[in-house]
Amino acid sequence: MLLLHLHPRAVPAEALAFPRTFGLGGIAVVLFILLAVTGSLLLFGYEPSPERAYGSVREIIDQAPFGAFVRNVHHWAANGFLLVAFLHLLRVLYTGAHHPPRRANWIVGLVLLLLVVASNFTGYLLPWDQLAYWAVTIATGMLEYVPLLGATLLRAARGGSEVGSKTLALFFVMHVAILPILLFVLTAFHFWLVRKGGGVILPRREGEDAPRRTLVSTSPNLVAREGPAALMTLAVVLLIAAILEAPLLAQANPGMSPNPAKAPWYFMGLQELLVHLHPAFAVLVVPLLAAALLLALPYLRYGEAPSGAYFHSRTGARTALAAAAAALVLTPAYVLADEAFRRTPPWLPSLPPAVRTGFVPVVLVCAVLVVVYLAARRLFSASRLEAVQALLTFLIVAFVVLTVTGSLFRGQAMALAWPWAVAAVR
Amino acid sequence: MTDVPLDSHKGPQQPDRRNFLSLAWKVLGLAAAAEFLGVVGAYLWPRRGEGEGGRGIVEAGPVGEFTPASVTPFPQGRFYLVRLTDGGFLALSSKCSHLGCTVPWNEKDKTFPCPCHASVFDMRGNVLSPPAPRALDLFPITIESGVVKVDTGRRIQRERFEDSQVAYL
């Protein structure tokens, strides 16, 4: 069993408890394998050209025995992969597993998350339906707002001035060769760093200098837990795939965008951001700031080590909860206020749009973040580690609210609407 | 070489040679990497004229066909021919100036609402509601013997509508 060699011979008994990790990393691996298998099967039927792509996907669905099922499994496993990877990130964040000695693995994990997003993104151009065509037109169009290099990057990403056969070829190669190989290699590195960092982070014990933990042998103790978890994952994905059809819209029509034109759910947070902010800020400034924050997390000076328990401490949990509640109120308030604001004639029309709808709101949000941090420190007497955790919670909840707003609360012409009204129009 | 003892591998000359060799390896390695990147880059770089729409001059029709204060879509040419109330013509690109979605014409509100990020443009292509940073692009119009012709090969970017952009008979 080659797979067994990923594990040490013995593991701490405490590390086996399910809520320690919720098995999220393992679930992600199972999904990756499932994606590789179904992806290979789909490759037998798929033809990567604008003329044939849509037709070949239709043939897979309508004619190949179990074709629709294989495609459904691939689709839902891909969505699940992204969701599980994100939840895994949250688990690591809230148990403090991104601090030294696991710091390097946090960075590798972030790159892996980026690769998973890229895999999903390159995958959904392939069916060449309306969702595919317009999502990729919009996403590659964002490159135009990169200073100086914009036009060049746009041409390189599309393989020409418009989304066409070259774009499809590029995305196809990325999706079936380059990204899977990178994912495989980096995942192996990720595992190795887990071992090197001393395995799963465990709550520190007070009053002992060198706590001796009870070790139990990996087989059968860990294997007996991983096996059923893997089988459960498989069962859930297959069940979903048997019930829910993977969407396929009408064939791509470069002359007409669907109304509303929505990205897949995992990009709706960004799409919602694009509604509110100047494109240079939504595309470049905000994502770069977010990436910088995530990368810097394990390098900040906290003056204490993480406890290894969820939310670090009771104070940590309480502060994070308060930050989540604040974001839950403030984000919808911002969306509604901006909605009213945008429809009125621009205030200070002499200011360039980048300042009016980009710089000013971003500075405003940064000011709110400073207030959140200070409130955590003063009102909740949180430590620096706990205050940073509260700040991140605020941002994560705000992002989730934006995602939900974009997915469920926007109808025709991306105007705000109640979810049932949105569903009725479709 | 005469004075160097045989066991001189810790002597002063050996490290020089070693440094030189390791430097040579590094330079060669960098050169090989640069060549690799150059070849791959040149191979993958989009060639000129590839993937372009190839749409040229579109004959929209005789002037009389378009009533003042009307908007006529030309889906094939990806533009709208707008006749303003004063009889002047504008050829507005149907591509949103924000991220390139196709904007539909809403006859009731007399606006172009973008279905992707909720930008709104007026009949002249001006931004009524952000996030679009500038007005809809234009295509140049020529009117020859009473027939409106639009050059869809030449896209004109602009900040906002100005009177000089309108084509008259």
Side-chain angles (χ1 to χ4, degrees):
Chain A
M1 280 295 282
L2 189 67
L3 273 174
L4 282 181
H5 287 286
L6 293 173
H7 295 310
R9 270 185 40 222
V11 288
E14 281 175 81
L16 293 177
F18 185 63
R20 182 79 18 233
T21 64
F22 296 102
L24 289 163
I27 292 173
V29 173
V30 173
L31 292 174
F32 183 50
I33 295 169
L34 194 57
L35 284 163
V37 172
T38 49
S40 307
L41 288 174
L42 289 171
L43 269 177
F44 285 105
Y46 178 72
E47 296 172 52
S49 75
E51 294 78 30
R52 287 291 303 140
Y54 187 78
S56 66
V57 172
R58 270 258 160 264
E59 278 165 28
I60 289 173
I61 294 173
D62 296 334
Q63 289 167 26
F66 298 107
F69 181 67
V70 171
R71 179 167 175 268
N72 291 349
V73 173
H74 196 73
H75 178 88
W76 295 119
N79 280 274
F81 195 20
L82 193 57
L83 185 68
V84 167
F86 179 64
L87 294 177
H88 181 56
L89 178 139
L90 291 186
R91 196 279 295 171
V92 167
L93 205 59
Y94 286 116
T95 53
H98 54 298
H99 292 277
R102 299 176 181 79
R103 190 154 71 179
N105 219 10
W106 169 253
I107 308 294
V108 173
L110 287 178
V111 178
L112 275 169
L113 183 66
L114 193 70
L115 288 176
V116 175
V117 172
S119 297
N120 269 277
F121 172 58
T122 50
Y124 69 63
L125 175 63
L126 304 185
W128 206 252
D129 63 350
Q130 279 285 71
L131 170 77
Y133 185 87
W134 290 103
V136 172
T137 300
I138 293 169
T140 51
M142 292 179 195
L143 291 170
E144 215 174 353
Y145 291 99
V146 177
L148 305 176
L149 292 172
T152 315
L153 282 175
L154 183 70
R155 277 187 70 80
R158 287 183 182 170
S161 64
E162 277 173 37
V163 173
S165 60
K166 294 279 169 186
T167 326
L168 185 54
L170 179 72
F171 278 51
F172 179 68
V173 173
M174 282 293 191
H175 187 75
V176 306
I178 294 172
L179 290 171
I181 292 170
L182 286 178
L183 263 176
F184 183 82
V185 172
L186 264 188
T187 302
F189 191 44
H190 201 53
F191 287 172
W192 181 69
L193 285 174
V194 170
R195 292 276 305 264
K196 211 167 160 255
V200 171
I201 191 167
L202 295 172
R204 242 181 327 159
R205 295 193 203 141
E206 298 301 323
E208 292 166 77
D209 277 349
R212 298 282 302 167
R213 301 187 188 275
T214 5
L215 292 180
V216 293
S217 62
T218 297
S219 178
N221 294 292
L222 179 55
V223 178
R225 285 168 169 80
E226 285 179 330
L231 289 175
M232 283 285 284
T233 308
L234 198 60
V236 168
V237 175
L238 294 187
L239 197 66
I240 293 174
I243 299 169
L244 290 176
E245 296 292 330
L248 183 66
L249 304 188
Q251 184 163 9
N253 177 0
M256 192 204 69
S257 309
N259 190 0
K262 288 193 181 183
W265 61 269
Y266 41 86
F267 279 150
M268 282 315 294
L270 179 60
Q271 189 168 356
E272 184 66 27
L273 210 57
L274 276 161
V275 171
H276 297 288
L277 289 184
H278 185 274
F281 282 79
V283 165
L284 211 65
V285 177
V286 172
L288 283 181
L289 287 176
L293 177 64
L294 286 176
L295 287 171
L297 273 187
Y299 296 92
L300 302 175
R301 284 179 188 278
Y302 297 100
E304 63 179 324
S307 72
Y310 275 99
F311 302 106
H312 186 63
S313 64
R314 289 196 69 84
T315 313
R318 230 175 318 122
T319 326
L321 199 65
L328 219 47
V329 173
L330 288 178
T331 320
Y334 181 88
V335 170
L336 287 171
D338 187 56
E339 194 71 9
F341 220 53
R342 292 173 337 106
R343 304 210 174 269
T344 56
W347 53 285
L348 293 177
S350 56
L351 284 177
V355 176
R356 236 185 313 121
T357 63
F359 187 72
V360 171
V362 168
V363 167
L364 200 73
V365 170
C366 286
V368 170
L369 293 180
V370 171
V371 170
V372 169
Y373 181 85
L374 291 178
R377 292 282 280 162
R378 300 275 155 77
L379 297 181
F380 290 81
S381 44
S383 68
R384 261 182 279 171
L385 192 149
E386 290 156 348
V388 169
Q389 179 180 261
L391 192 74
L392 279 170
T393 308
F394 186 89
L395 286 172
I396 290 165
V397 172
F399 182 72
V400 171
V401 169
L402 286 182
T403 304
V404 171
T405 308
S407 305
L408 301 179
F409 290 87
R410 289 209 179 262
Q412 288 254 311
M414 290 300 280
L416 282 178
W418 292 108
W420 46 91
V422 175
V425 171
R426 283 199 193 151
Chain B
M1 284 297 285
T2 49
D3 286 312
V4 181
L6 276 175
D7 59 341
S8 70
H9 51 270
K10 282 176 191 154
Q13 286 156 334
Q14 289 289 63
D16 278 351
R17 182 154 50 178
R18 239 175 247 180
N19 286 346
F20 171 76
L21 283 175
S22 85
L23 184 70
W25 273 116
K26 280 174 195 155
V27 170
L28 283 175
L30 277 180
E35 279 175 30
F36 174 77
L37 284 181
V39 168
V40 170
Y43 176 82
L44 290 178
W45 202 248
R47 292 178 284 280
R48 274 253 154 258
E50 202 173 46
E52 308 287 344
R55 293 178 296 273
I57 293 178
V58 174
E59 269 193 37
V63 172
E65 265 185 25
F66 308 100
T67 52
S70 74
V71 173
T72 316
F74 287 82
Q76 287 303 313
R78 314 256 176 97
F79 69 90
Y80 288 99
L81 190 65
V82 177
R83 188 151 198 205
L84 303 173
T85 33
D86 66 356
F89 285 98
L90 277 176
L92 297 179
S93 165
S94 59
K95 206 172 104 175
C96 181
S97 63
H98 181 225
L99 285 169
C101 293
T102 305
V103 291
W105 168 243
N106 183 334
E107 185 64 50
K108 198 170 109 256
D109 298 343
K110 305 280 179 203
T111 56
F112 296 100
C114 178
C116 294
H117 303 95
S119 300
V120 182
F121 305 89
D122 70 8
M123 201 175 175
R124 295 175 165 85
N126 268 338
V127 180
L128 285 179
S129 181
R134 53 188 169 75
L136 291 173
D137 292 344
L138 289 179
F139 293 119
I141 292 180
T142 46
I143 301 176
E144 284 169 27
S145 51
V147 175
V148 184
K149 292 177 179 174
V150 177
D151 184 357
T152 57
R154 278 177 49 214
R155 176 178 290 280
I156 303 167
Q157 292 194 353
R158 54 175 184 160
E159 283 302 312
R160 62 183 68 79
F161 171 79
E162 277 154 32
D163 288 331
S164 61
Q165 293 159 351
V166 185
Y168 290 98
L169 187 62

